Amino acid sequence: MSDKVLSDVIKHDWRTEFKRLEGAFAPATLKAYLVDVGLFIDWCQRNDRSALPADVATVCAFLEHQAAALCPSSVRRRLYAIRKVHRLLRLPDPTHDEDITITLRRVRRLKLNRPKQAKGMTREYLERCIAAQADDPWGMRNRAMISLGYDLLTRRSELVALRTDDIELRGDGTLRAIIRRGKADPFGMGRIGFSSRRSAELVGRWLAWRGEGIEPLFCGIYQGKPINRPLGTTKVKLIIKEALAAAGLPPEDVAAFSGHSLRVGAAQDLLCAGFDTAAIMRAGGWKSVNVLGRYLEMAEHNVWA
């Protein structure tokens, strides 16, 4: 590594600059930026290239190198991180050059793979998962959480963020819920969702056992007692997979589901039930028809049947 490349990295305290973004971006986004920029700087050091600032040829070479192991969307994310660090440091930004656009198109054309999509927990799987839950506090919680997550078309982060005072029982026996912050709602404007009567009943049973004085709607259970602590997003994924296994699905089928499967499956069921795009977008809080389209691609919906 040349002295010039080393001095460039030392001169720009780029990690400190990213602290300016705290509160303006989600923690996961900031973490991804730090990882991506770190990988770019390490690659530049190994190849005796200047990273801060970088020139167009360096960025193109890095993107092509990353494309060997990553999907196109991940390569594009690396580019956004490089763009962000240059802007934070007020350095000349090389990322809008036409050669960058050409490189990204080349990466996409070389890897003609479909975006990975979690298998949807459609109504058939939902019923089996709910029926397979044990008659104990954990089963009571999981039944309510799986059913409500399906009805509200929540991401797992939205599901664990629900608070007890975010839900309200309506006169028709259903629930009205406020989903306060989601991936497409970084400023917390929130959206309104509604549940089925069954979900309202299951949530009511869970709350009657759980008791008052606990903020998260779905909390952890320790030694048979509720604790005032929300579940983690990883726990939602685990609960879904365990429910599918308990319902009798083989391991290779269970592996296709994720914490996102409730949202995917509910959207697919709404399509098959005849609801239009506007209604599905409203129910799930989508801002883009293109994003919703990816959810619906694998729906078992034959328009000729």
Side-chain angles (χ1 to χ4, degrees), residues 160-166 180 207 210-219 227-230:
V160 299
L162 284 172
R163 301 197 297 261
T164 304
D165 58 4
D166 288 336
R180 297 186 180 275
L207 292 180
R210 193 207 67 182
E212 299 180 356
I214 294 181
E215 183 177 358
L217 179 60
F218 298 112
C219 65
I227 56 176
N228 194 12
R229 184 187 308 162

Side-chain angles (χ1 to χ4, degrees), residues 7-248:
S7 65
D8 285 344
V9 176
I10 295 174
K11 179 173 62 177
H12 299 295
D13 189 4
W14 62 274
R15 292 185 183 275
T16 299
E17 291 298 319
F18 270 102
K19 292 183 179 179
R20 290 162 50 195
L21 302 181
E22 292 179 358
F25 292 83
T29 300
L30 296 182
K31 182 178 179 180
Y33 275 150
L34 291 171
V35 170
D36 291 343
V37 173
L39 289 170
F40 174 63
I41 291 176
D42 289 345
W43 181 87
C44 288
Q45 291 176 355
R46 292 195 306 271
N47 291 274
D48 200 25
R49 291 175 179 259
S50 173
L52 301 172
D55 57 29
V56 173
T58 294
V59 177
C60 287
F62 174 72
L63 297 178
E64 290 178 345
H65 174 267
Q66 294 293 291
L70 300 177
C71 64
S73 61
S74 295
V75 174
R76 186 169 59 250
R77 195 192 74 192
R78 297 272 202 265
L79 174 65
Y80 292 162
I82 296 170
R83 178 177 300 161
K84 180 61 70 176
V85 73
H86 277 76
R87 290 182 174 182
L88 284 173
L89 294 170
R90 294 180 172 83
L91 297 172
D93 181 5
T95 63
H96 289 288
D97 191 271
E98 182 64 17
D99 280 349
I100 300 291
T101 302
I102 293 171
T103 298
L104 282 180
R105 289 185 63 87
R106 185 179 296 116
V107 168
R108 291 185 63 184
R109 288 176 63 84
L110 287 175
K111 286 197 171 184
L112 301 177
N113 58 333
R114 293 171 60 84
K116 187 177 180 181
Q117 177 66 66
K119 185 174 178 62
M121 184 179 285
T122 51
R123 177 67 66 176
E124 174 191 356
Y125 295 112
L126 180 74
E127 299 296 339
R128 293 172 63 181
C129 286
I130 290 176
Q133 294 302 303
D135 291 326
D136 58 21
W138 292 270
M140 190 182 305
R141 179 198 63 193
N142 296 348
R143 274 193 296 269
M145 187 173 69
I146 291 171
S147 184
L148 186 64
Y150 172 90
D151 287 353
L152 299 181
L153 289 85
T154 56
R155 301 173 178 88
R156 56 182 178 172
S157 59
E158 297 169 342
L159 187 56
V160 299
L162 284 172
R163 301 197 297 261
T164 304
D165 58 4
D166 288 336
I167 62 169
E168 176 187 351
L169 183 63
R170 306 173 76 222
D172 61 358
T174 65
L175 294 175
R176 178 183 183 272
I178 301 176
I179 296 92
R180 297 186 180 275
R181 176 166 295 188
K183 182 178 179 181
D185 181 25
F187 302 112
M189 300 300 292
R191 65 178 175 90
I192 303 299
F194 299 93
S195 80
S196 62
R197 291 181 177 86
R198 180 177 69 176
S199 289
E201 182 180 349
L202 292 174
V203 170
R205 292 178 189 172
W206 157 247
L207 292 180
W209 177 86
R210 193 207 67 182
E212 299 180 356
I214 294 181
E215 183 177 358
L217 179 60
F218 298 112
C219 65
I221 303 172
Y222 181 69
Q223 293 184 348
K225 296 181 180 180
I227 56 176
N228 194 12
R229 184 187 308 162
L231 299 174
T233 55
T234 302
K235 183 63 175 179
V236 175
K237 177 181 177 180
L238 181 61
I239 287 172
I240 289 173
K241 287 184 176 290
E242 288 178 341
L244 290 160

Side-chain angles (χ1 to χ4, degrees), residues 237-299:
K237 177 181 177 180
L238 181 61
I239 287 172
I240 289 173
K241 287 184 176 290
E242 288 178 341
L244 290 160
L249 271 69
E252 58 271 20
D253 289 346
V254 172
F257 292 83
S258 77
H260 222 54
S261 292
L262 294 171
R263 182 170 170 83
V264 176
Q268 293 173 348
D269 281 344
L270 289 174
L271 174 69
C272 295
F275 290 93
D276 60 23
T277 301
I280 301 174
M281 291 181 69
R282 163 66 182 79
W286 279 282
K287 308 296 184 185
S288 167
V289 176
N290 293 335
V291 174
L292 175 60
R294 291 202 296 270
Y295 280 70
L296 302 180
E297 279 184 344
M298 303 304 294

